[in-house]
């Protein structure tokens, strides 16, 4: 992989890997460290099989997250200001979007980890159920079931908030 190709891949996929890891750790520093480590590992491996680059990078990120959890048996989730890198012209729209993204991540944070992982991969990072099943090492039907339960839980949480 040439340097220019790697830089292009880094710029294109950084936000996907970071969002996934932030959604799992809720720590800006940890997500950033694991994201950087994912790309370092990608650069050293250089080979992408038949998977899409995005799916492959998220697989690397997932494996690094699993290793991180094993090393640090107790994760502490801190409140971080999560700024989504979405270009919005109007300041008011940007502020509303930021509030909406933060609200969504606060709801996702309350999901059990397995549901949180599929939501982050399928709904936030727009991977297919098949790609998600490969990353997590579970069946497509398990992914479908987890998405269904996560959506149901998120609707219930939203109803509680809306009162």
């Amino acid at each position: 992989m040439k340097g220019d190709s790697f830089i292009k891949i880094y710029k294109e996929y950084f936000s996907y890997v970071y969002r996934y890891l932030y959604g799992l750790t809720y720590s800006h520093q940890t997500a950033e460290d694991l994201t950087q480590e994912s790309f370092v590992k990608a650069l050293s491996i250089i080979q992408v099989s038949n998977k899409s680059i995005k799916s492959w990078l998220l697989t690397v990120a997932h494996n690094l997250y699993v290793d991180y959890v094993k090393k640090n048996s107790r994760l502490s989730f801190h409140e971080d200001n999560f700024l989504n890198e979405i270009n919005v012209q109007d300041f008011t729209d940007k502020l509303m979007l930021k509030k909406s993204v933060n609200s969504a991540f606060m709801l996702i944070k309350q999901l059990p980890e397995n549901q949180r992982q599929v939501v982050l991969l399928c709904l936030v990072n727009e991977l297919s159920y098949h790609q998600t099943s490969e990353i997590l090492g579970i069946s497509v039907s398990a992914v479908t079931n987890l998405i269904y339960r996560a959506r149901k839980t998120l609707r219930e949480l939203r109803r509680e908030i809306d009162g």
Side-chain angles (χ1 to χ4, degrees):
M1 184 180 302
K2 296 177 184 168
D4 291 341
S5 298
F6 183 77
I7 291 169
K8 182 181 175 192
I9 289 169
Y10 180 84
K11 287 180 178 179
E12 187 172 345
Y13 297 106
F14 175 86
S15 62
Y16 293 106
V17 175
Y18 177 81
R19 275 193 309 243
Y20 174 64
L21 291 167
Y22 180 85
L24 292 173
T25 64
Y26 285 90
S27 165
H28 172 69
Q29 187 63 46
T30 302
E32 203 169 85
D33 290 347
L34 290 173
T35 299
Q36 295 301 328
E37 197 173 332
S38 296
F39 281 97
V40 167
K41 192 167 193 160
L43 181 61
S44 67
I45 293 174
I46 299 177
Q47 186 179 23
V48 179
S49 62
N50 294 332
K51 293 183 182 181
S52 76
I53 292 173
K54 182 167 126 181
S55 176
W56 180 73
L57 284 169
L58 288 168
T59 301
V60 171
H62 174 75
N63 292 336
L64 286 170
Y65 170 73
V66 169
D67 291 344
Y68 174 80
V69 170
K70 286 178 185 174
K71 288 178 188 171
N72 303 289
S73 59
R74 291 188 65 188
L75 282 176
S76 62
F77 296 109
H78 302 285
E79 287 297 320
D80 258 335
N81 284 332
F82 178 75
L83 297 173
N84 199 1
E85 297 176 6
I86 298 174
N87 294 326
V88 179
Q89 297 296 327
D90 182 17
F91 175 75
T92 307
D93 288 344
K94 191 171 187 173
L95 194 59
M96 293 302 292
L97 181 61
K98 180 181 171 188
K99 183 178 179 185
S100 175
V101 168
N102 285 334
S103 296
F105 271 92
M106 290 310 294
L107 290 174
I108 292 169
K109 182 179 182 178
Q110 296 177 51
L111 292 172
E113 184 162 343
N114 59 352
Q115 291 178 21
R116 193 170 65 226
Q117 287 179 348
V118 297
V119 166
L120 291 168
L121 291 170
C122 292
L123 304 180
V124 175
N125 283 308
E126 301 171 337
L127 291 182
S128 70
Y129 287 12
H130 179 73
Q131 290 170 314
T132 299
S133 73
E134 287 180 348
I135 290 170
L136 299 177
I138 59 177
S139 68
V140 174
S141 61
V143 170
T144 304
N145 187 16
L146 287 167
I147 287 287
Y148 171 79
R149 289 189 301 183
R151 284 182 171 152
K152 183 179 175 184
T153 303
L154 289 171
R155 276 193 299 272
E156 291 169 3
L157 290 169
R158 191 75 187 143
R159 271 188 232 125
E160 289 174 15
I161 291 171
D162 292 341

